[in-house]
């Protein structure tokens, strides 16, 4: 997070100049020819922004729509039919970023944007970059400590699902929309999944994915529970698939070592988009509150979502077939293997999806 000295310096540098802005909302879609959409956060946050990007395209059908995206966000937005181009943002502000900042700013200014829309970004450089883009219209969160650089600061309505919150933030532009998240995969991701399954010795059993990890350790489901779940799934004729990134390779190995029959291991083996192509083939995914949970929702894969302290009403599944499990204590580790197996069985027995798409409280007697 930026410290007080940095914030004070930015206010001094930009404060006077920003007073010259014409704080006018563009009143006609035809007047907006080039739009920069900013999303420089993680996979899940980016997927939650995809309905807003789709709604922007519907509101401004003739505009050139470009996304400033972090490496994780690029994995989600690549191939989107609503975007004309991507501009790479490193995803963090450090010395390497500062060395590349002049080139990044030149790339942004080359587009001559009329409008910058900040959907989600944690980095302290984003609002100043929007200002330095020279775009006459800049919309973003009024709660930002640098909101004085925005021409259209909006006050977010809290308590909504983040999809609805981000759509609501665009009402000032005349944007309206609804619907679910999107992830557009390419055909080239499929052969890599085929090779992975062949190399791992898959024999055609129904595949159940397990992603027990997450961005924060308090979201993880315990390794011993994953071992027990995998053994039960495989004893009942399914094949467990352990998903995760490179950072989860070590805990994934520990889980595999504890299982009677090793699962398929995609953690650290498949890229984000390859993992998504695999998730699309699963009979079901069991996942903590994470980017891959949102991937399953975007692709319509049956999902058992395990929640801890975060609120499913704001970030959880809302597209069937999905079941959300959350223990009253708010501890992910308190959700039992039996409860997860019961949710998996419920998804399998109700293929129509009519009876699933619900939140279920895990038993308060769980340890």
């Amino acid at each position: 997070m930026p410290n007080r000295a940095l914030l004070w310096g930015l206010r001094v540098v930009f404060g006077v100049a920003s007073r010259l802005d014409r704080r006018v909302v563009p009143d006609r879609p035809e007047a907006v020819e080039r739009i920069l959409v900013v999303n420089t956060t993680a996979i899940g946050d980016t997927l939650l922004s995809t309905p807003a990007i789709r709604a922007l395209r519907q509101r401004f059908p003739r505009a050139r729509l470009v996304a400033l995206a972090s490496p994780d966000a690029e994995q989600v937005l690549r191939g989107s039919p609503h975007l004309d181009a991507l501009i790479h943002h490193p995803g963090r502000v450090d010395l390497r970023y500062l060395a590349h900042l002049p080139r990044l700013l030149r790339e942004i200014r080359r587009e001559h944007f009329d409008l910058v829309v900040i959907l989600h970004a944690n980095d302290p450089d984003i609002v100043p970059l929007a200002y330095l883009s020279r775009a006459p219209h800049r919309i973003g969160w009024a709660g930002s400590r640098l909101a004085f650089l925005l021409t259209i600061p909006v006050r977010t309505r809290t308590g909504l699902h983040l999809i609805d919150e981000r759509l609501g933030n665009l009402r000032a532009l005349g944007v309206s929309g609804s619907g679910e998240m999107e992830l557009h995969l390419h055909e080239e991701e499929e052969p890599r999944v085929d090779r992975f399954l062949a190399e791992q010795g898959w024999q055609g059993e129904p595949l159940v994915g397990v992603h027990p990890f997450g961005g924060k350790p308090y979201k993880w489901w315990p390794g011993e529970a994953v071992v027990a779940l995998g053994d039960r799934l495989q004893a009942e004729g399914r094949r467990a698939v352990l998903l995760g990134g490179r950072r989860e390779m070590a805990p994934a190995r520990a889980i595999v070592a504890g299982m009677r029959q090793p699962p398929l291991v995609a953690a650290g083996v498949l890229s984000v988009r390859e993992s998504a192509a695999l998730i699309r083939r699963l009979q079901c995914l069991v996942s903590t509150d994470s980017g891959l949970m949102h991937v399953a929702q975007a692709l319509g894969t049956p999902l058992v979502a395990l929640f801890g302290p975060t609120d499913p009403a704001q970030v959880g599944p809302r597209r069937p077939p999905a079941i959300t499990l959350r223990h009253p204590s708010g501890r992910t580790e308190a959700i039992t293997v039996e409860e997860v197996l019961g949710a998996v069985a419920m998804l399998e027995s109700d293929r129509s999806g009519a009876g699933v798409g619900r939140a279920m409280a895990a038993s308060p007697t769980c340890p």
Side-chain angles (χ1 to χ4, degrees):
M1 296 293 291
N3 57 37
R4 292 183 179 181
L6 175 58
L7 285 170
W8 180 85
L10 289 171
R11 290 178 185 276
V12 170
V13 171
F14 292 108
V16 176
S18 68
R19 295 178 185 275
L20 303 177
D21 286 327
R22 292 180 64 234
R23 309 221 161 197
V24 179
V25 177
D27 57 350
R28 294 178 298 110
E30 312 84 60
V32 178
E33 298 181 352
R34 293 172 176 268
I35 303 172
L36 178 65
V37 177
V38 179
N39 204 111
T40 58
T41 50
I43 294 166
D45 282 321
T46 305
L47 282 164
L48 290 164
S49 293
T50 55
I53 293 173
R54 181 176 62 244
L56 277 168
R57 170 54 73 203
Q58 292 168 351
R59 171 63 174 162
F60 302 98
R62 298 182 181 179
R64 177 171 169 81
L65 198 56
V66 179
L68 178 63
S70 62
D72 283 342
E74 288 175 355
Q75 296 294 310
V76 172
L77 298 178
R78 191 188 311 157
S80 170
H82 312 301
L83 294 171
D84 296 297
L86 297 174
I87 294 176
H88 175 78
H89 185 280
R92 64 173 61 188
V93 177
D94 53 20
L95 291 177
R96 182 178 299 179
Y97 166 83
L98 294 176
H100 290 88
L101 179 58
R103 185 172 63 186
L104 173 60
L105 189 55
R106 284 195 301 271
E107 189 174 0
I108 292 172
R109 285 181 170 177
R110 193 180 301 131
E111 292 278 355
H112 302 287
F113 291 112
D114 303 302
L115 170 66
V116 177
V117 178
I118 301 173
L119 290 176
H120 194 66
N122 294 326
D123 304 290
D125 64 316
I126 294 303
V127 178
L129 271 179
Y131 177 78
L132 292 171
S133 73
R134 296 175 178 164
H137 307 293
R138 302 178 297 277
I139 184 169
W141 182 43
S144 167
R145 283 168 287 187
L146 298 172
F148 64 92
L149 295 176
L150 302 169
T151 60
I152 315 170
V154 293
R155 298 200 175 277
T156 296
R157 290 176 58 200
T158 58
L160 301 175
H161 195 282
L162 288 185
I163 289 176
D164 299 320
E165 179 183 297
R166 290 175 194 176
L167 284 165
N169 288 347
L170 302 181
R171 287 199 189 103
L173 299 173
V175 172
S176 62
S178 60
E180 300 307 326
M181 299 175 286
E182 294 183 2
L183 179 59
H184 299 272
L185 299 177
H186 297 157
E187 290 183 0
E188 57 263 30
E189 275 109 25
E190 298 296 339
R192 177 67 187 97
V193 176
D194 290 334
R195 291 194 298 272
F196 163 79
L197 292 172
E199 291 164 0
Q200 297 264 332
W202 178 55
Q203 300 296 317
E205 310 96 321
L207 296 172
V208 176
V210 185
H211 181 248
F213 313 113
K216 304 291 184 182
Y218 61 77
K219 295 184 178 183
W220 289 29
W221 202 42
E224 58 271 21
V226 181
V227 169
L229 176 66
D231 283 340
R232 288 282 298 276
L233 289 171
Q234 298 189 145
E236 296 171 2
R238 309 174 186 91
R239 193 70 188 274
V241 184
L242 193 57
L243 293 126
R246 291 188 176 276
R247 289 178 297 182
E248 288 85 44
M249 290 178 69
R253 284 194 294 267
I255 290 169
V256 172
M259 292 180 64
R260 292 193 293 269
Q261 178 185 349
L264 308 184
V265 181
V269 177
L270 298 181
S271 70
V272 171
R273 293 184 66 83
E274 291 164 352
S275 295
L278 176 59
I279 287 172
R280 188 162 59 180
R281 302 189 189 191
L282 297 177
Q283 182 174 7
C284 173
L285 174 67
V286 176
S287 177
T288 55
D289 171 22
S290 63
L292 292 188
M293 178 195 76
H294 294 297
V295 167
Q297 276 277 281
L299 297 175
T301 299
L303 171 68
V304 178
L306 312 181
F307 269 79
T310 51
D311 185 359
Q314 291 188 299
V315 297
R318 60 180 197 173
R319 171 186 180 181
I323 293 174
T324 299
L325 293 176
R326 190 188 193 206
H327 190 269
S329 68
R331 292 165 44 238
T332 311
E333 64 269 23
I335 300 170
T336 69
V337 173
E338 292 298 329
E339 287 159 343
V340 174
L341 284 166
V344 171
M346 189 178 298
L347 288 171
E348 291 175 342
S349 65
D350 194 343
R351 294 298 183 187
S352 68
V356 293
R358 65 190 72 172
M360 299 174 63
S363 169
T365 61
C366 300

